Amino acid sequence: MGRTATKFFVTAAGIGAALLGVPLALADTLSDLRARGPEQEIVYFVLPDRFANGDPRNDRGGLKGGPLQTGYDPTSRAFYHGGDLKGLTAKLDYIQGLGATAIWLAPIFKNKPVQGAKGQESAGYHGYWVTDFTTVDPHFGSDADFKALVDAAHGRGMKVYMDIIANHTADVIQYMESPTGAASYRSKADYPWSRRGGAAGEPINAGFAGDRDGAAANWAKLTDPSFAYTPVVPKGEDKIKVPAWLNDPIYYHNRGDTDWKGESSQYGDFVGLDDLATEDPRVVEGFIAIYRGWIDRFGIDGYRIDTARHVNPEFWRAFIPAIRAYAAAKGIPNFHVFGEVATDAYDPALLASWTRNAAFPAVLDFAFMRAAVDAASGKTGTDMLGRLGEDDALYEGGKSAALQLPTFLGNHDAGRFAFFLRQANPGMSAEEELARDILGHAMLLTLRGVPTLYYGDEQGFAGTGNDQQARQDMFASHVAEYNVDRLVGTASTTATDNFRTDHPLYRAIAHLAKIRRDTPALSRGATLLRASSDKPGIFAVSRIDPDTGREIVVAFNTSAAPLSGHIAVDPASGGFTSLAGACPAAAQAPGSLSLSLPAFGYAVCAAHP
């Protein structure tokens, strides 16, 4: 039941809430929020360090010294800039005004402030170099600040998703055999668990049957971690990780750096990051306990799982059901879990395999990204987008399950959407650039999946590449490289703050987001392909209202010329109302809609009898 302006009665749940000290209005909002399925959300993904600085006192994370000690250097794209949880909380009006109903935060756990070889150091501003999995990094504030953010978001009916890691920790463990440089990967065949330092080495770990046997009794026989390298923990860092069991090298693979291929993709260290032995039942139990704890303490609404494809599927088949069951028992029945299975190719089979083999209810939809970016940029036709609906049958649960896949146009690793547009069209005008940018966001917000907006895209951020080149500051930046970058749709730069609600991209996204929220077919409806081509042109689908069966025709023109044509529709659709763009008032004939779209234009047309 939706919230009403006036309550004429108090439910039993409301009485309970009052007795617990929870305001009735907030309890009602929280109940409605938790009743929403993941497919009903519009997600805003943000790196807290790059968003808003609410408390300059925590910029250095309570540490003393210069950038190499504190991690703080607002002039360098590789170090902390000062954004924090208080700043994010203060900007909830801005995020909600854009139309977002959920916030996904990059990891906020306590990180190793700085790591890397001498002269190549960088900071853990992004959150993926965790030392303490149980508390907020002081650079972002405190646990109390995170609770205030979650409570404030929930009070507005917005969900909060945490970004979590189980694949690795910060780089603490070193190898005796490689004291000054990167350690190359040593395979299980050449360096078996049962020998020290290679197949010809002395016997160790007697009776250990290998990591395919997940029994605790088997893993109790793995007592010596020096099968490939001899792990060494530097003095002063032997107790840096929390929980304490994470400090023991026996719980890591200790095989050297991954080369991103084959076996090393699962067992190797990511550029030195300590790769956890997620096959060990102690590690499985430990991470289930860690991430249950955040649900217990903060009542968050979902987890995005980093580096999911680099962890053995058996870990996820134990972890995910345990976490979702725990959340449900805590009154969060629609706890969303989605994994990162990164690829730059159109490869739904790869993505779907992780929903089948590893029990992920959803994965980040890199296939959508590839298809939508290439279509909106004019790099290809729209045939990949046309394939997407049929390929959805590959996912566990089929096409209905695909409604819960987070879709996106770019992110903090791959790069920003506007950067991809510029790559594909280096000589385009500013007007075309803005039109293509809006077109891509129209696809994101009207096609199937969970639209996931990357912070700053609504302000025209473009960047010059991936990773650090795509992680600009929303508040006034001191990074020279960021500040010379030209933004889309504005003469502003990142040298001043960028929270303009009148930016043409912000306004277009907010308008489309409202249409999506108000139109069940766009979030929960099946998709029927109506038109696509191997060349830029008209792409159209019908989204079917799950309650009424009525169609919403969504059409896009990815070409640089205005186009007209006939779109197949349901013969029962006699008239149409425009939700966006120009829609004919009626079908030209039963089953045929005549549609005209400007260059890079789109239309959303709601059918009625």
Side-chain angles (χ1 to χ4, degrees), residues 411-476:
N411 64 23
H412 61 317
D413 291 327
R416 292 188 180 274
F417 178 46
F419 169 70
F420 302 137
L421 292 178
R422 290 176 180 176
Q423 273 191 314
N425 303 281
M428 66 182 162
S429 68
E431 292 75 18
E432 177 179 339
E433 182 177 72
L434 177 59
R436 286 191 184 275
D437 206 326
I438 292 173
L439 177 66
H441 282 93
M443 292 175 174
L444 180 68
L445 285 153
T446 58
L447 298 178
R448 73 99 182 97
V450 184
T452 303
L453 306 163
Y454 184 39
Y455 87 96
D457 281 4
E458 76 281 3
Q459 296 294 330
F461 287 11
T464 55
N466 61 8
D467 198 79
Q468 294 175 11
Q469 295 167 296
R471 300 176 181 180
Q472 294 83 357
D473 302 311
M474 291 285 282
F475 54 102

Side-chain angles (χ1 to χ4, degrees), residues 9-30:
F9 58 91
V10 178
T11 64
I15 293 172
L19 292 174
L20 290 170
V22 180
L24 291 179
L26 175 57
D28 188 40
T29 301
L30 194 58

Side-chain angles (χ1 to χ4, degrees), residues 216-258:
N218 177 51
W219 283 87
K221 297 171 184 174
L222 183 71
T223 58
D224 189 336
S226 57
F227 33 83
Y229 287 98
T230 306
V232 176
V233 178
K235 185 178 180 180
E237 293 191 318
D238 54 327
K239 296 180 180 178
I240 196 173
K241 296 180 185 179
V242 181
W245 62 267
L246 287 165
N247 293 298
D248 191 337
I250 201 67
Y251 297 119
Y252 297 84
H253 285 135
N254 303 310
R255 291 188 172 276
D257 281 3
T258 181

